[in-house]
Amino acid sequence: MRTSDEIYHRVRWDPRFDPDRFVLGIRQRGGTCQRVPLTSFVPGGDIPWHRVQFIEADGWLVWDRATGLDRIDASGAGRAREQNR
């Protein structure tokens, strides 16, 4: 299973993905999770990587720390849509 930062950077910089379609589940102090758009997350900022608990694309879970799920490549969720030329 890849790490949350590997998935983040893949989605952010791989043109096959649309970062606007991804959400990170961030564990807050107290145990609750807050959903944060991937494009709003600041690597190296106030939130450490170990607080990223899951990643969703288009409402589908594509990466989950607790279960070891890593379906970023197997899922069509979050893929960039082709532009009309």
Side-chain angles (χ1 to χ4, degrees), residues 3-79:
T3 62
S4 56
D5 62 322
E6 289 174 311
I7 299 295
Y8 170 87
H9 290 292
R10 173 98 184 270
V11 169
R12 193 73 172 152
W13 304 114
D14 187 330
R16 294 175 292 177
F17 295 102
D18 180 354
D20 290 326
R21 296 169 63 189
F22 285 81
V23 173
L24 305 178
I26 308 293
R27 188 183 74 234
Q28 302 296 306
R29 290 188 170 98
T32 61
C33 275
Q34 176 184 4
R35 286 176 161 74
V36 175
L38 184 135
T39 54
S40 296
F41 184 77
V42 179
D46 293 336
I47 303 169
W49 287 112
H50 71 271
R51 292 211 176 183
V52 177
Q53 299 300 300
F54 61 85
I55 300 174
E56 294 177 343
D58 301 329
W60 294 93
L61 191 62
V62 294
W63 183 89
D64 184 59
R65 180 182 304 279
T67 63
L69 177 76
D70 183 350
R71 294 187 41 82
I72 192 77
D73 292 320
S75 171
R79 298 292 175 151

